[in-house]
Amino acid sequence: MSDYLWQTLVPLIFFSFIWMLYRFLDEQAEVEQIKKEHTEMELKFLKSQINPHVLFNNLNTIYSYTLEKPNEAADLILMLSDNLKHVLYESNSETISLEKEIQFIDNYIKFQKLRTEGTKQIHYSKNINSFHHKIAPLLLITIIENAFKHSTLNSAISIRIIVENGILECICENDFNKEKVSENDFKIGLQNLEKRLELIYKGTYNFTIEKAESFKVYLKLNLN
């Protein structure tokens, strides 16, 4: 009787274990899918908070030029067209070419140089040894736009982008009015950026903010 019971129980226990394992793996797959969908939704939401600020600033610049320098407005409209294409279509991808992202930054800074002519000194430099990399779209613009938004009149803004051996560094520094601008004002957009970095580049980035005589933001990102 004991032998018969043992022969009956062993297959039953074995198949019960297999069934429980299958159910566990199936539930884990569902959990991972839910996490993935949640992450994608959060990333889309975070990116949607960036787009309007960039575009509205460019539109304001074009409007000013149509009134004051109409002959130069056509070139600005072409640049805005490129930026619109980048924000509305290309930025929907998880990653885009580094070259396209840098071109977007170049156009944005050209707009800002025109908009702040005579009121701010903009020092923009690039040292990129290879464009054969991919990057999540609209990351660097948050740092750069933050500097323009909070810098004081008749001050300097320094922007440096370095890419070497698949490591990207973005250093942005600007003067600010300590009496008028609080630390929370600076961090609203940058907190958004840090959430995106944690979702996309967790463990492969370094992001620091220094607030002393000037406001300095440093981002180091592994593109490999």
Side-chain angles (χ1 to χ4, degrees), residues 78 86 89 93 123 140 145 184:
L78 286 176
H86 185 80
Y89 300 107
S93 303
H123 306 290
L140 306 182
E145 190 183 32
N184 288 334

Side-chain angles (χ1 to χ4, degrees), residues 134-198:
K134 297 282 187 177
I135 186 172
L138 304 178
L139 288 178
L140 306 182
I141 190 63
T142 303
I143 299 173
I144 296 168
E145 190 183 32
N146 194 75
F148 282 102
K149 183 178 179 181
H150 296 295
S151 59
T152 56
L153 291 175
N154 302 313
S155 65
I157 298 173
S158 172
I159 303 162
R160 286 182 290 153
I161 298 175
I162 304 163
V163 178
E164 187 172 356
N165 299 325
I167 303 298
L168 180 145
E169 293 179 279
C170 178
I171 307 101
C172 197
E173 190 170 2
N174 64 277
D175 296 324
F176 68 101
N177 190 326
K178 295 180 182 178
E179 297 177 359
K180 293 183 178 180
V181 181
S182 69
E183 190 168 352
N184 288 334
D185 292 330
F186 276 113
K187 286 189 174 180
I188 292 173
L190 297 178
Q191 286 174 344
N192 182 327
L193 171 62
E194 193 161 17
K195 287 179 183 177
R196 291 190 67 209
L197 289 169
E198 190 64 17

Side-chain angles (χ1 to χ4, degrees), residues 8-24:
T8 304
L9 284 176
V10 169
L12 184 62
I13 293 171
F14 175 76
F15 286 112
S16 296
F17 173 76
I18 294 296
W19 181 83
M20 289 174 64
L21 179 62
Y22 172 79
R23 287 291 300 165
F24 173 76

Side-chain angles (χ1 to χ4, degrees), residues 40-41 43-48 51 83-97 100-101 135-138 196 200:
E40 290 175 354
M41 287 177 63
L43 284 170
K44 287 180 180 179
F45 173 72
L46 291 171
K47 282 199 292 186
S48 72
N51 300 352
N83 281 9
L84 278 170
K85 179 183 176 183
H86 185 80
V87 170
L88 296 177
Y89 300 107
E90 294 167 352
S91 68
N92 289 327
S93 303
E94 291 184 8
T95 59
I96 60 171
S97 72
K100 287 183 178 179
E101 188 70 7
I135 186 172
L138 304 178
R196 291 190 67 209
I200 304 170

